[in-house]
């Protein structure tokens, strides 16, 4: 049986909630994930509480968790201040930076242009070396709704440039959940052909009926790093379709295991955890 890297993304699930989840509730949920065998968590972000008030307790959440001990605790950062906070926080193992192929979305999401983002990426590589892992999330990797230029070669050029500056882990994101499985397969297949599968992942959003076909496309392209969230909570707040969410963990992991791909997660725990994720959305979403 082969192995697949599954990143559980409560940060992505929670960041758009209208009400603040008490820190102790966040920690309790994260501890349940660890107990069930999840080893890779995208769990918070170091951004201004003015923009994402849900993540104002990033330091407190990380300090309350057990030491990583080989697990991945990742937080998103969008600027130099966020990186500085991340480097000073205990228990963190990785930072993630959202880098878009769309000029429009990059400005909306990080308040800087693409060209202004490249020096920050280089600084993150330098500052995290030997201290934290660095993941770049390449958003709009499968197209964008803004009319900004897009084609597969642009995706490959961005990956190549990220590799050149020292980024080893890159997750291609279907930010709006618009890409069909055929395009997901085509882009990822080209990326794997040029760069190999190591260090390439897929962070997809989907409507419920499209989930497994997108997962199948990722696997067929040779990529074995996928991301999602229990109960499909979260996704892109700009998508404009409330049915588009993260890949639902409780559907995807049994599908992966049935294909002979080991996740290391207790599948029997998934229904209860999905129910807890849905409860948090009802209470605080």
């Amino acid at each position: 049986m082969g192995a697949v890297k599954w990143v559980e993304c409560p940060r992505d699930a929670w960041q758009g909630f209208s009400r603040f989840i008490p820190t102790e509730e966040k920690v309790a949920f994260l501890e349940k994930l660890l107990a069930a065998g999840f080893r890779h968590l995208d769990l918070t972000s170091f951004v201004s509480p003015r923009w994402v008030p849900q993540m104002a307790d990033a330091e407190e959440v990380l300090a309350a968790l057990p030491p990583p001990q080989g697990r991945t605790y990742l937080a998103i950062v969008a600027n130099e201040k966020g990186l500085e906070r991340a480097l000073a926080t205990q228990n963190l193992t990785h930072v993630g930076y959202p880098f878009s192929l769309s000029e429009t979305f990059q400005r909306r999401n990080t308040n800087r242009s693409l060209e202004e983002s490249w020096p920050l990426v280089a600084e993150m590589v330098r500052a995290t070396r030997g201290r934290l892992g660095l993941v770049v999330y390449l958003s709009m990797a499968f197209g964008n709704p803004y009319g900004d230029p897009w084609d597969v070669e642009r995706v490959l050029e961005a990956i190549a440039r990220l590799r050149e500056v020292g980024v080893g882990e890159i997750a291609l994101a279907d930010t709006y959940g618009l890409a069909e499985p055929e395009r997901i397969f085509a882009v990822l297949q080209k990326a794997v052909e040029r760069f190999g599968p190591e260090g390439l992942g897929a962070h997809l959003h989907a409507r419920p009926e499209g989930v497994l076909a997108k997962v199948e496309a990722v696997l067929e392209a040779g990529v074995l790093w996928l991301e999602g969230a229990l109960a499909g909570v979260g996704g892109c707040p700009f998508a404009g379709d409330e049915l588009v969410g993260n890949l639902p963990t409780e559907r995807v992991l049994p599908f992966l295991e049935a294909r002979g791909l080991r996740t290391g997660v207790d599948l029997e725990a998934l229904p209860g955890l999905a129910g807890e994720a849905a409860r948090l959305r009802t209470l605080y979403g």
Side-chain angles (χ1 to χ4, degrees):
M1 179 179 271
V4 64
K5 176 182 175 181
W6 178 262
V7 180
E8 184 65 20
C9 302
R11 184 271 316 166
D12 201 357
W14 296 338
Q15 65 183 2
F17 285 7
S18 59
R19 297 181 59 214
F20 185 76
I21 306 170
T23 302
E24 58 271 21
E25 285 207 56
K26 289 175 182 160
V27 172
F29 182 76
L30 294 169
E31 287 178 335
K32 289 176 183 177
L33 296 181
L34 297 175
F38 287 94
R39 298 194 58 78
H40 306 284
L41 299 181
D42 172 358
L43 52 84
T44 191
S45 61
F46 292 99
V47 295
S48 170
R50 199 156 49 96
W51 297 109
V52 187
Q54 189 64 251
M55 300 299 152
D57 59 353
E59 285 90 349
E60 290 81 5
V61 167
L62 281 157
L65 291 175
Q69 295 179 328
R71 295 175 294 228
T72 298
Y73 293 173
L74 179 143
I76 296 295
V77 299
N79 53 35
E80 293 85 352
K81 177 63 175 175
L83 178 61
E84 183 181 317
R85 288 175 60 194
L87 290 168
T89 299
Q90 68 183 90
N91 283 337
L92 192 67
T93 68
H94 288 68
V95 292
Y97 180 67
F99 192 104
S100 183
L101 285 170
S102 159
E103 182 76 36
T104 304
F105 189 73
Q106 188 69 7
R107 288 187 178 277
R108 286 190 181 195
N109 202 33
T110 66
N111 198 32
R112 67 178 69 206
S113 70
L114 293 180
E115 277 311 305
E116 289 169 340
S117 297
W118 282 109
L120 176 58
V121 171
E123 171 59 18
M124 287 183 173
V125 171
R126 187 201 65 77
T128 58
R129 188 175 290 119
R131 300 175 67 182
L132 295 172
L134 172 63
V135 179
V136 168
Y137 287 91
L138 197 57
S139 72
M140 304 295 174
F142 303 96
N144 72 80
Y146 300 118
D148 292 328
W150 183 92
D151 56 48
V152 176
E153 193 55 38
R154 289 176 187 271
V155 179
L156 300 178
E157 288 171 359
I159 296 172
R161 188 169 176 182
L162 289 167
R163 289 278 197 250
E164 286 170 6
V165 299
V167 178
E169 296 183 273
I170 303 167
L172 278 61
D174 180 20
T175 313
Y176 273 58
L178 298 176
E180 296 297 325
E182 294 77 14
R183 176 171 285 189
I184 292 169
F185 171 77
V187 173
L188 291 176
Q189 182 187 45
K190 290 290 187 182
V192 169
E193 285 176 357
R194 185 169 300 186
F195 304 102
E198 189 67 29
L200 287 178
H203 182 106
L204 307 180
H205 299 148
R207 292 173 63 94
E209 67 273 15
V211 167
L212 296 184
K214 291 189 176 187
V215 173
E216 185 72 38
V218 174
L219 300 178
E220 289 297 316
V223 171
L224 293 174
W225 160 12
L226 285 141
E227 308 200 350
L230 287 151
V233 178
C236 179
F238 306 118
D241 183 346
E242 63 182 21
L243 293 181
V244 173
N246 279 299
L247 300 183
T249 308
E250 70 279 7
R251 288 183 61 196
V252 177
L253 295 198
F255 177 76
L256 296 174
E257 294 271 359
R259 288 179 57 100
L261 293 168
R262 183 177 65 256
T263 67
V265 175
D266 178 7
L267 299 187
E268 293 184 1
L270 293 179
L273 290 170
E276 178 67 8
R279 183 188 73 84
L280 291 172
R281 174 175 54 191
T282 300
L283 282 175
Y284 302 106

